[in-house]
Coordinates of all heavy atoms in Angstrom, one line a residue:
M12 N 115.6 122.8 126.1 CA 115.5 124.1 126.9 C 115.0 123.7 128.3 O 114.0 123.0 128.4 CB 114.5 125.0 126.2 CG 115.2 125.7 125.1 SD 113.9 126.9 124.2 CE 113.0 125.6 123.3
A13 N 115.7 124.2 129.3 CA 115.3 123.9 130.7 C 114.3 125.0 131.2 O 114.4 126.1 130.8 CB 116.5 123.7 131.5
D14 N 113.5 124.6 132.0 CA 112.6 125.5 132.6 C 112.9 125.6 134.2 O 112.9 124.6 134.9 CB 111.1 124.9 132.5 CG 110.1 125.8 133.2 OD1 110.5 126.8 133.9 OD2 108.9 125.5 133.2
A15 N 113.4 126.8 134.6 CA 113.9 127.0 135.8 C 112.9 126.7 136.9 O 113.2 126.2 138.0 CB 114.4 128.3 136.0
A16 N 111.6 126.8 136.6 CA 110.6 126.6 137.5 C 110.4 125.0 137.9 O 109.8 124.8 138.9 CB 109.3 127.2 137.1
A17 N 110.9 124.1 137.0 CA 110.7 122.8 137.3 C 112.0 122.0 136.8 O 112.2 121.8 135.6 CB 109.6 122.3 136.5
P18 N 112.9 121.7 137.7 CA 114.1 121.1 137.3 C 113.9 119.8 136.5 O 113.0 119.1 136.9 CB 114.8 120.9 138.7 CG 114.1 121.8 139.7 CD 112.8 122.0 139.2
G19 N 114.7 119.6 135.6 CA 114.5 118.4 134.8 C 113.4 118.4 133.7 O 113.3 117.4 132.9
R20 N 112.7 119.5 133.6 CA 111.5 119.5 132.7 C 111.9 120.4 131.6 O 112.6 121.5 131.8 CB 110.4 120.1 133.4 CG 109.0 120.0 132.5 CD 107.9 120.5 133.2 NE 107.5 119.6 134.3 CZ 106.6 119.9 135.3 NH1 106.2 121.1 135.3 NH2 106.2 119.0 136.1
T21 N 111.6 120.0 130.4 CA 112.0 120.8 129.2 C 110.8 121.0 128.3 O 109.9 120.2 128.3 CB 113.1 120.2 128.3 OG1 112.6 119.0 127.9 CG2 114.4 119.9 129.1
I22 N 110.7 122.1 127.7 CA 109.7 122.4 126.6 C 110.4 122.8 125.3 O 111.3 123.6 125.4 CB 108.6 123.4 127.0 CG1 107.6 123.5 126.0 CG2 109.3 124.7 127.4 CD1 106.3 123.9 126.5
T23 N 109.9 122.2 124.3 CA 110.5 122.5 123.0 C 109.4 122.8 122.0 O 108.4 121.9 121.9 CB 111.4 121.3 122.5 OG1 112.3 120.9 123.5 CG2 112.1 121.7 121.2
L24 N 109.4 123.9 121.2 CA 108.5 124.1 120.2 C 108.9 123.2 119.0 O 109.9 123.5 118.4 CB 108.4 125.5 119.8 CG 107.4 126.0 118.9 CD1 106.0 125.9 119.5 CD2 107.6 127.4 118.4
V25 N 108.1 122.3 118.7 CA 108.5 121.4 117.5 C 107.8 121.8 116.2 O 108.2 121.4 115.2 CB 108.2 119.9 117.8 CG1 109.1 119.4 119.0 CG2 106.7 119.7 118.2
R26 N 106.7 122.6 116.3 CA 106.1 123.1 115.1 C 105.5 124.5 115.3 O 104.7 124.6 116.2 CB 105.0 122.2 114.6 CG 104.7 122.4 113.1 CD 103.7 121.3 112.6 NE 102.4 121.6 113.1 CZ 101.4 120.7 113.1 NH1 101.6 119.5 112.4 NH2 100.2 121.0 113.5
Q27 N 106.0 125.4 114.6 CA 105.5 126.8 114.7 C 104.0 126.7 114.4 O 103.6 125.9 113.5 CB 106.2 127.7 113.7 CG 107.7 128.0 114.0 CD 107.7 129.1 115.1 OE1 106.7 129.8 115.3 NE2 109.0 129.3 115.5
P28 N 103.2 127.5 114.9 CA 101.8 127.6 114.6 C 101.6 127.9 113.0 O 102.3 128.6 112.4 CB 101.2 128.8 115.3 CG 102.2 128.9 116.5 CD 103.5 128.5 116.0
D29 N 100.7 127.0 112.4 CA 100.7 127.1 110.9 C 99.6 128.2 110.6 O 99.2 129.0 111.4 CB 100.3 125.8 110.3 CG 99.0 125.2 110.9 OD1 98.2 126.0 111.5 OD2 98.7 124.0 110.7
R30 N 99.1 128.2 109.3 CA 98.2 129.3 108.9 C 96.9 129.1 109.8 O 96.2 130.2 110.0 CB 97.9 129.1 107.4 CG 98.9 129.8 106.6 CD 98.5 129.6 105.1 NE 98.4 128.2 104.8 CZ 97.8 127.7 103.8 NH1 97.4 128.5 102.8 NH2 97.8 126.4 103.5
R31 N 96.5 128.0 110.2 CA 95.4 127.9 111.0 C 95.6 128.2 112.5 O 94.8 128.0 113.3 CB 94.8 126.5 110.9 CG 94.2 126.2 109.5 CD 93.8 124.7 109.4 NE 94.8 123.8 109.7 CZ 94.7 122.5 110.0 NH1 93.5 122.0 110.1 NH2 95.7 121.8 110.2
G32 N 96.9 128.4 112.8 CA 97.3 128.7 114.2 C 97.6 127.5 115.1 O 97.7 127.6 116.2
I33 N 97.7 126.4 114.4 CA 98.0 125.1 115.1 C 99.5 124.8 115.1 O 100.1 124.7 114.0 CB 97.2 124.0 114.5 CG1 95.7 124.3 114.6 CG2 97.5 122.6 115.3 CD1 94.8 123.3 113.8
G34 N 100.0 124.7 116.2 CA 101.5 124.3 116.4 C 101.5 123.1 117.3 O 100.6 122.5 117.7
A35 N 102.8 122.8 117.6 CA 103.0 121.6 118.5 C 104.2 121.9 119.4 O 105.2 122.5 119.0 CB 103.3 120.3 117.6
F36 N 104.2 121.3 120.6 CA 105.3 121.4 121.5 C 105.6 120.0 122.1 O 104.6 119.2 122.2 CB 105.2 122.6 122.5 CG 104.1 122.5 123.4 CD1 104.1 121.6 124.6 CD2 103.0 123.3 123.2 CE1 103.1 121.7 125.5 CE2 101.9 123.2 124.1 CZ 102.0 122.4 125.3
R37 N 106.7 119.9 122.7 CA 107.1 118.6 123.3 C 107.4 118.9 124.9 O 108.3 120.0 125.0 CB 108.4 118.0 122.7 CG 109.0 116.9 123.3 CD 110.3 116.6 122.6 NE 111.0 115.5 123.2 CZ 111.7 115.4 124.3 NH1 111.9 116.5 125.0 NH2 112.3 114.3 124.6
L38 N 106.8 118.3 125.7 CA 107.1 118.4 127.0 C 108.0 117.2 127.5 O 107.6 116.0 127.4 CB 105.9 118.5 127.9 CG 105.3 119.8 128.2 CD1 104.0 119.7 129.0 CD2 106.2 120.9 128.8
G39 N 109.3 117.5 127.9 CA 110.1 116.4 128.3 C 110.3 116.5 129.9 O 110.3 117.5 130.5
E40 N 110.3 115.3 130.5 CA 110.5 115.1 131.9 C 111.4 113.9 132.1 O 110.9 112.8 132.0 CB 109.1 115.1 132.6 CG 109.2 115.5 134.0 CD 107.7 115.8 134.5 OE1 106.8 115.5 133.8 OE2 107.6 116.2 135.7
G41 N 112.6 114.1 132.4 CA 113.5 113.0 132.5 C 113.6 112.3 131.1 O 113.8 113.0 130.1
A42 N 113.5 111.0 131.2 CA 113.5 110.2 129.9 C 112.1 110.2 129.2 O 112.0 109.7 128.0 CB 113.9 108.8 130.2
K43 N 111.1 110.8 129.8 CA 109.8 110.7 129.2 C 109.5 112.1 128.4 O 110.1 113.0 128.7 CB 108.7 110.6 130.3 CG 108.8 109.3 131.1 CD 107.6 109.3 132.1 CE 107.7 110.5 133.1 NZ 106.7 110.4 134.2
A44 N 108.8 111.9 127.4 CA 108.3 113.1 126.6 C 106.8 112.9 126.2 O 106.4 111.8 125.9 CB 109.2 113.2 125.4
Q45 N 106.1 114.0 126.1 CA 104.8 114.0 125.6 C 104.6 115.1 124.6 O 105.2 116.1 124.9 CB 103.9 114.2 126.7 CG 103.8 113.1 127.8 CD 103.2 113.6 129.2 OE1 102.8 114.7 129.3 NE2 103.1 112.7 130.1
F46 N 103.9 114.8 123.6 CA 103.7 115.8 122.5 C 102.3 116.3 122.6 O 101.3 115.6 122.9 CB 104.0 115.2 121.2 CG 105.4 114.9 120.8 CD1 106.0 113.7 121.4 CD2 106.2 115.8 120.3 CE1 107.3 113.5 121.2 CE2 107.5 115.6 120.0 CZ 108.1 114.4 120.5
Y47 N 102.2 117.7 122.4 CA 100.9 118.4 122.4 C 100.8 119.2 121.2 O 101.7 119.9 120.7 CB 100.9 119.3 123.7 CG 100.8 118.6 124.9 CD1 102.0 118.2 125.6 CD2 99.7 118.5 125.6 CE1 102.0 117.6 126.8 CE2 99.7 117.8 126.9 CZ 100.8 117.4 127.5 OH 100.8 116.8 128.8
A48 N 99.5 119.2 120.7 CA 99.2 120.2 119.7 C 98.5 121.3 120.4 O 97.9 121.1 121.4 CB 98.2 119.6 118.7
F49 N 98.6 122.6 119.9 CA 98.1 123.7 120.6 C 97.6 124.8 119.6 O 98.0 124.8 118.4 CB 99.0 124.3 121.6 CG 100.2 125.1 121.0 CD1 100.1 126.4 120.7 CD2 101.4 124.4 120.5 CE1 101.1 127.2 120.1 CE2 102.4 125.1 119.9 CZ 102.3 126.5 119.7
R50 N 96.7 125.5 120.0 CA 96.1 126.6 119.1 C 95.8 127.8 120.1 O 95.1 127.5 121.1 CB 94.9 126.1 118.4 CG 94.5 127.2 117.4 CD 93.4 126.7 116.5 NE 92.2 126.2 117.1 CZ 91.2 127.0 117.4 NH1 91.2 128.3 117.0 NH2 90.1 126.5 118.0
E51 N 96.2 129.0 119.7 CA 95.8 130.1 120.6 C 94.4 130.4 120.4 O 93.9 130.4 119.3 CB 96.7 131.3 120.2 CG 96.4 132.5 121.2 CD 97.6 133.5 121.3 OE1 98.6 133.4 120.5 OE2 97.4 134.3 122.2
I52 N 93.7 130.7 121.5 CA 92.3 131.0 121.4 C 92.0 132.4 122.0 O 92.8 132.8 122.8 CB 91.4 129.9 122.1 CG1 91.9 129.7 123.6 CG2 91.5 128.6 121.3 CD1 91.1 128.7 124.3
R53 N 91.0 133.0 121.6 CA 90.6 134.3 122.1 C 90.4 134.2 123.7 O 89.7 133.3 124.1 CB 89.3 134.7 121.5 CG 88.9 136.1 121.7 CD 87.6 136.4 120.9 NE 87.0 137.6 121.4 CZ 87.3 138.8 121.1 NH1 88.1 139.0 120.1 NH2 86.7 139.9 121.6
C54 N 91.0 135.2 124.4 CA 90.8 135.1 125.8 C 90.2 136.5 126.2 O 90.9 137.5 125.9 CB 92.2 135.0 126.4 SG 92.2 134.7 128.2
E55 N 89.1 136.5 126.8 CA 88.3 137.6 127.1 C 88.8 138.4 128.4 O 88.4 139.6 128.6 CB 86.8 137.4 127.3 CG 86.2 136.6 126.2 CD 85.8 137.6 125.0 OE1 85.8 138.8 125.2 OE2 85.4 137.1 124.0
I56 N 89.5 137.7 129.2 CA 89.8 138.2 130.5 C 91.3 138.6 130.8 O 91.8 138.7 131.8 CB 89.4 137.3 131.6 CG1 90.0 135.8 131.4 CG2 87.9 137.2 131.7 CD1 89.7 134.9 132.5
G57 N 92.0 138.8 129.7 CA 93.4 139.2 129.8 C 94.3 138.0 129.7 O 93.9 136.8 129.9
G58 N 95.6 138.2 129.4 CA 96.5 137.1 129.3 C 96.4 136.5 127.9 O 95.7 137.0 127.0
R59 N 96.9 135.3 127.7 CA 96.8 134.6 126.4 C 96.3 133.2 126.7 O 96.7 132.5 127.6 CB 98.1 134.5 125.7 CG 98.6 135.9 125.3 CD 99.9 135.9 124.6 NE 99.9 135.1 123.4 CZ 101.0 134.8 122.7 NH1 102.2 135.3 123.1 NH2 100.9 134.2 121.5
G60 N 95.3 132.8 125.9 CA 94.6 131.5 126.1 C 95.1 130.5 124.9 O 95.3 131.0 123.8
F61 N 95.2 129.3 125.4 CA 95.6 128.3 124.4 C 94.7 127.0 124.6 O 94.5 126.7 125.8 CB 97.0 127.8 124.6 CG 98.1 129.0 124.3 CD1 98.4 129.9 125.3 CD2 98.5 129.1 123.0 CE1 99.3 130.9 125.1 CE2 99.4 130.2 122.7 CZ 99.9 131.0 123.8
A62 N 94.3 126.4 123.6 CA 93.7 125.1 123.6 C 94.8 124.1 123.4 O 95.6 124.2 122.4 CB 92.7 124.9 122.6
V63 N 95.0 123.2 124.3 CA 96.2 122.3 124.3 C 95.6 120.8 124.3 O 94.8 120.5 125.2 CB 97.1 122.5 125.5 CG1 98.2 121.5 125.6 CG2 97.6 124.0 125.6
H64 N 96.1 120.1 123.3 CA 95.6 118.8 123.1 C 96.7 117.8 123.2 O 97.7 117.8 122.3 CB 94.9 118.7 121.8 CG 94.4 117.3 121.4 ND1 94.8 116.6 120.3 CD2 93.4 116.6 122.0 CE1 94.1 115.4 120.3 NE2 93.3 115.4 121.3
R65 N 96.7 116.9 124.1 CA 97.8 115.9 124.3 C 97.7 114.8 123.2 O 96.7 114.1 123.1 CB 97.9 115.3 125.6 CG 99.0 114.2 125.7 CD 99.1 113.7 127.1 NE 100.0 112.6 127.1 CZ 100.2 111.7 128.1 NH1 99.5 111.9 129.2 NH2 101.0 110.7 128.1
L66 N 98.6 114.7 122.3 CA 98.5 113.8 121.2 C 98.4 112.3 121.7 O 99.2 112.0 122.5 CB 99.7 114.0 120.2 CG 99.7 115.4 119.6 CD1 100.9 115.5 118.6 CD2 98.5 115.7 118.8
G67 N 97.5 111.6 121.1 CA 97.3 110.2 121.4 C 96.4 109.9 122.6 O 96.1 108.8 122.9
R68 N 95.9 111.1 123.2 CA 95.2 110.9 124.5 C 93.7 111.4 124.3 O 92.8 111.0 125.1 CB 95.8 111.5 125.6 CG 97.0 110.7 126.3 CD 96.4 109.4 126.8 NE 97.4 108.5 127.4 CZ 97.9 108.5 128.6 NH1 97.4 109.4 129.4 NH2 98.8 107.8 129.0
G69 N 93.5 112.3 123.4 CA 92.2 113.0 123.3 C 91.7 113.9 124.4 O 90.6 114.3 124.5
V70 N 92.6 114.3 125.3 CA 92.4 115.2 126.3 C 92.6 116.6 125.9 O 93.7 116.9 125.4 CB 93.2 114.8 127.6 CG1 92.8 115.8 128.7 CG2 92.9 113.4 128.0
L71 N 91.6 117.5 126.1 CA 91.8 118.9 125.7 C 91.8 119.7 126.9 O 90.9 119.6 127.8 CB 90.7 119.3 124.7 CG 90.7 120.7 124.2 CD1 91.9 120.9 123.2 CD2 89.3 121.1 123.6
Y72 N 92.8 120.6 127.1 CA 92.8 121.5 128.2 C 92.9 122.9 127.6 O 93.4 123.2 126.6 CB 94.2 121.4 129.0 CG 94.4 120.1 129.6 CD1 95.6 119.4 129.1 CD2 93.6 119.5 130.4 CE1 95.8 118.1 129.7 CE2 93.8 118.2 130.9 CZ 95.0 117.5 130.6 OH 95.2 116.3 131.1
H73 N 92.2 123.8 128.4 CA 92.3 125.2 128.1 C 93.2 125.8 129.1 O 93.0 125.7 130.2 CB 90.9 125.8 128.1 CG 90.0 125.4 127.0 ND1 89.1 124.5 127.1 CD2 90.0 125.8 125.7 CE1 88.4 124.3 125.9 NE2 89.0 125.0 125.1
V74 N 94.3 126.6 128.6 CA 95.3 127.0 129.4 C 95.3 128.5 129.2 O 95.3 129.0 128.1 CB 96.7 126.4 128.9 CG1 97.8 126.8 129.9 CG2 96.6 124.8 129.1
R75 N 95.6 129.2 130.3 CA 95.7 130.7 130.2 C 97.1 131.1 130.9 O 97.4 130.7 132.0 CB 94.6 131.4 130.8 CG 94.6 132.9 130.5 CD 93.2 133.5 130.8 NE 93.0 133.5 132.3 CZ 93.4 134.5 133.1 NH1 94.1 135.5 132.6 NH2 93.3 134.3 134.4
V76 N 97.8 131.9 130.2 CA 99.1 132.5 130.8 C 99.1 133.9 130.6 O 98.3 134.5 129.8 CB 100.4 131.7 130.1 CG1 100.3 130.2 130.4 CG2 100.4 132.0 128.6
G77 N 100.0 134.6 131.3 CA 100.2 136.0 131.1 C 99.4 136.9 132.0 O 98.7 136.4 133.0
A78 N 99.4 138.2 131.7 CA 98.7 139.2 132.6 C 97.2 139.2 132.3 O 96.8 139.0 131.3 CB 99.3 140.6 132.3
P79 N 96.4 139.3 133.4 CA 96.8 139.4 134.8 C 97.4 138.1 135.2 O 97.1 137.0 134.6 CB 95.5 139.6 135.5 CG 94.4 139.1 134.6 CD 94.9 139.3 133.2
D80 N 98.3 138.2 136.2 CA 99.2 137.1 136.6 C 98.6 136.0 137.3 O 99.1 135.7 138.4 CB 100.4 137.8 137.3 CG 101.6 136.7 137.3 OD1 101.5 135.8 136.5 OD2 102.3 136.8 138.2
D81 N 97.4 135.5 137.0 CA 96.9 134.4 137.6 C 96.5 133.3 136.4 O 95.4 133.4 135.8 CB 95.8 134.7 138.4 CG 94.6 135.4 137.8 OD1 94.9 136.0 136.7 OD2 93.4 135.3 138.2
P82 N 97.4 132.4 136.1 CA 97.2 131.5 135.1 C 96.1 130.5 135.4 O 95.7 130.4 136.6 CB 98.6 130.8 134.9 CG 99.2 130.9 136.3 CD 98.7 132.2 136.8
S83 N 95.7 129.7 134.5 CA 94.7 128.7 134.7 C 94.9 127.6 133.7 O 95.5 127.7 132.7 CB 93.3 129.2 134.7 OG 93.0 129.6 133.4
C84 N 94.5 126.4 134.2 CA 94.5 125.2 133.3 C 93.4 124.2 133.9 O 93.0 124.4 135.0 CB 95.9 124.5 133.3 SG 95.9 123.1 132.3
E85 N 92.9 123.4 133.0 CA 91.8 122.5 133.3 C 92.3 121.2 133.8 O 91.4 120.3 134.1 CB 90.9 122.4 132.1 CG 90.2 123.6 131.7 CD 89.5 123.5 130.5 OE1 89.8 122.8 129.6 OE2 88.4 124.2 130.4
C86 N 93.6 121.0 133.9 CA 94.1 119.6 134.2 C 94.0 119.4 135.7 O 93.8 120.3 136.5 CB 95.5 119.4 133.7 SG 96.8 120.3 134.7
L87 N 94.0 118.1 136.1 CA 93.9 117.8 137.5 C 95.0 118.3 138.4 O 94.8 118.7 139.5 CB 93.9 116.3 137.6 CG 92.6 115.6 137.1 CD1 92.7 114.0 137.2 CD2 91.3 116.1 137.8
G88 N 96.3 118.4 137.8 CA 97.4 118.9 138.5 C 97.1 120.4 138.8 O 97.4 120.8 140.0
F89 N 96.6 121.2 137.9 CA 96.4 122.6 138.2 C 95.3 122.7 139.2 O 95.3 123.6 140.2 CB 96.2 123.3 137.0 CG 96.1 124.8 137.2 CD1 97.3 125.5 137.1 CD2 95.0 125.5 137.7 CE1 97.4 126.9 137.3 CE2 95.0 126.9 137.9 CZ 96.2 127.6 137.8
L90 N 94.3 121.9 139.1 CA 93.1 122.1 140.0 C 93.6 121.8 141.5 O 93.1 122.3 142.4 CB 92.0 121.0 139.6 CG 91.2 121.4 138.4 CD1 90.2 120.3 138.1 CD2 90.5 122.8 138.6
R91 N 94.5 120.8 141.5 CA 94.9 120.4 142.9 C 96.0 121.3 143.4 O 96.0 121.7 144.7 CB 95.5 118.9 142.8 CG 96.0 118.5 144.2 CD 96.2 117.0 144.2 NE 96.5 116.5 145.5 CZ 96.8 115.3 145.9 NH1 96.8 114.4 144.9 NH2 97.2 115.0 147.0
W92 N 97.0 121.7 142.6 CA 98.2 122.4 143.1 C 98.3 123.9 142.7 O 99.1 124.6 143.2 CB 99.5 121.7 142.5 CG 99.5 120.3 142.9 CD1 99.4 119.3 142.1 CD2 99.8 119.7 144.2 NE1 99.5 118.0 142.7 CE2 99.7 118.2 144.0 CE3 100.0 120.2 145.5 CZ2 99.8 117.4 145.1 CZ3 100.1 119.3 146.5 CH2 100.0 117.9 146.4
G93 N 97.4 124.3 141.8 CA 97.5 125.7 141.3 C 98.7 125.9 140.4 O 99.0 127.1 140.1
R94 N 99.3 124.9 139.9 CA 100.4 125.0 138.9 C 100.4 123.8 138.1 O 100.0 122.7 138.6 CB 101.7 125.4 139.5 CG 102.1 124.4 140.6 CD 103.4 124.9 141.4 NE 103.4 124.2 142.7 CZ 103.8 123.0 142.9 NH1 104.1 122.2 142.0 NH2 103.8 122.5 144.1
C95 N 100.9 123.8 137.0 CA 101.1 122.5 136.1 C 102.1 122.8 135.0 O 102.5 123.9 134.8 CB 99.7 122.1 135.7 SG 99.1 123.2 134.3
K96 N 102.4 121.6 134.4 CA 103.5 121.7 133.3 C 102.9 122.4 132.1 O 103.7 122.9 131.4 CB 103.9 120.3 133.0 CG 102.7 119.4 132.5 CD 103.3 117.9 132.5 CE 102.2 117.0 132.2 NZ 102.6 115.6 132.2
H97 N 101.6 122.4 131.9 CA 101.0 123.0 130.7 C 101.2 124.6 130.8 O 101.7 125.3 129.9 CB 99.6 122.7 130.5 CG 99.3 121.3 130.6 ND1 98.6 120.7 131.7 CD2 99.6 120.3 129.8 CE1 98.6 119.4 131.6 NE2 99.2 119.1 130.4
V98 N 100.9 125.1 132.0 CA 101.1 126.5 132.2 C 102.6 126.9 132.2 O 102.9 127.8 131.5 CB 100.5 126.9 133.6 CG1 100.9 128.3 133.9 CG2 98.9 126.9 133.5
A99 N 103.4 126.1 132.9 CA 104.8 126.4 132.9 C 105.4 126.4 131.6 O 106.2 127.2 131.2 CB 105.5 125.4 133.9
G100 N 105.1 125.3 130.8 CA 105.5 125.2 129.4 C 105.2 126.3 128.5 O 106.1 127.0 127.9
L101 N 103.9 126.7 128.5 CA 103.4 127.8 127.6 C 104.0 129.1 128.0 O 104.3 129.9 127.2 CB 101.9 127.8 127.6 CG 101.4 126.7 126.6 CD1 99.9 126.4 126.7 CD2 101.7 127.1 125.1
A102 N 104.0 129.3 129.4 CA 104.6 130.5 129.9 C 106.0 130.7 129.4 O 106.5 131.8 129.1 CB 104.4 130.6 131.3
A103 N 106.8 129.6 129.4 CA 108.2 129.7 129.0 C 108.2 130.0 127.5 O 109.1 130.8 127.0 CB 108.9 128.3 129.2
L104 N 107.4 129.4 126.7 CA 107.4 129.6 125.2 C 107.0 131.1 125.0 O 107.6 131.8 124.2 CB 106.5 128.7 124.5 CG 107.0 127.3 124.4 CD1 105.8 126.5 123.6 CD2 108.3 127.2 123.7
V105 N 106.0 131.6 125.8 CA 105.6 133.0 125.5 C 106.7 133.9 125.9 O 107.1 134.9 125.3 CB 104.3 133.3 126.3 CG1 104.0 134.8 126.4 CG2 103.1 132.5 125.7
S106 N 107.4 133.6 127.1 CA 108.4 134.6 127.6 C 109.5 134.6 126.6 O 110.3 135.6 126.6 CB 108.8 134.2 129.0 OG 109.5 133.0 129.0
R107 N 109.8 133.6 125.9 CA 110.9 133.5 125.0 C 110.5 134.1 123.6 O 111.3 134.0 122.6 CB 111.4 132.0 124.8 CG 112.1 131.5 126.0 CD 112.4 130.0 125.8 NE 112.7 129.4 127.1 CZ 112.4 128.1 127.4 NH1 111.7 127.4 126.5 NH2 112.6 127.6 128.5
G108 N 109.2 134.4 123.5 CA 108.8 134.9 122.2 C 108.6 133.9 121.2 O 108.6 134.2 120.0
R109 N 108.5 132.6 121.5 CA 108.3 131.5 120.6 C 106.9 131.4 120.0 O 106.7 130.8 119.0 CB 108.8 130.2 121.2 CG 110.2 130.3 121.8 CD 111.3 130.5 120.6 NE 111.2 129.7 119.4 CZ 111.8 128.4 119.4 NH1 112.6 128.1 120.4 NH2 111.7 127.7 118.3
V110 N 106.0 131.8 120.9 CA 104.6 131.7 120.4 C 103.9 133.2 120.6 O 104.4 133.9 121.4 CB 103.7 130.6 121.2 CG1 104.3 129.3 120.7 CG2 103.7 130.8 122.7
Ligands
ZN26 ZN1 97.7 121.9 133.1

């Protein structure tokens, strides 16, 4: 699945959230791919919040997408640019009704 916001980048839901709410997705970029586990978390300020954990790296990000329309993520890319692949990927899954 291609993400129009980022040419060459794909996101694929590889595991639907299970009974504990833990799922997994794959972010592809060219020939590279990274796998993430995620779990939806309660979000007090609107939108939908996810805890996202890159498998094999131990880094945990909290990502928020949806209304109100100012997403957030804790990764360095988002801090610097105000956008990132985690937000773009989860927003794409949410907009497709996959999560
Ligand atoms: Zn991010």
Side-chain angles (χ1 to χ4, degrees):
M12 284 182 277
D14 177 356
R20 188 178 289 165
T21 59
I22 182 157
T23 309
L24 186 67
V25 294
R26 196 173 75 195
Q27 290 278 353
D29 62 15
R30 278 178 304 167
R31 293 177 301 163
I33 299 171
F36 61 81
R37 173 191 185 277
L38 274 179
E40 208 165 0
K43 295 183 297 182
Q45 297 162 356
F46 287 85
Y47 293 83
F49 71 94
R50 184 168 64 88
E51 185 155 9
I52 55 177
R53 186 179 164 84
C54 188
E55 306 279 352
I56 54 173
R59 294 178 66 186
F61 297 89
V63 175
H64 179 242
R65 182 174 166 187
L66 297 178
R68 281 294 178 91
V70 181
L71 180 72
Y72 304 121
H73 292 98
V74 183
R75 190 166 69 87
V76 299
D80 192 24
D81 54 337
S83 64
C84 182
E85 297 171 325
C86 74
L87 291 176
F89 191 90
L90 289 176
R91 182 164 182 186
W92 305 108
R94 55 188 155 77
C95 71
K96 58 191 175 185
H97 312 111
V98 166
L101 279 165
L104 289 179
V105 168
S106 72
R107 293 173 195 146
R109 303 298 305 276
V110 294

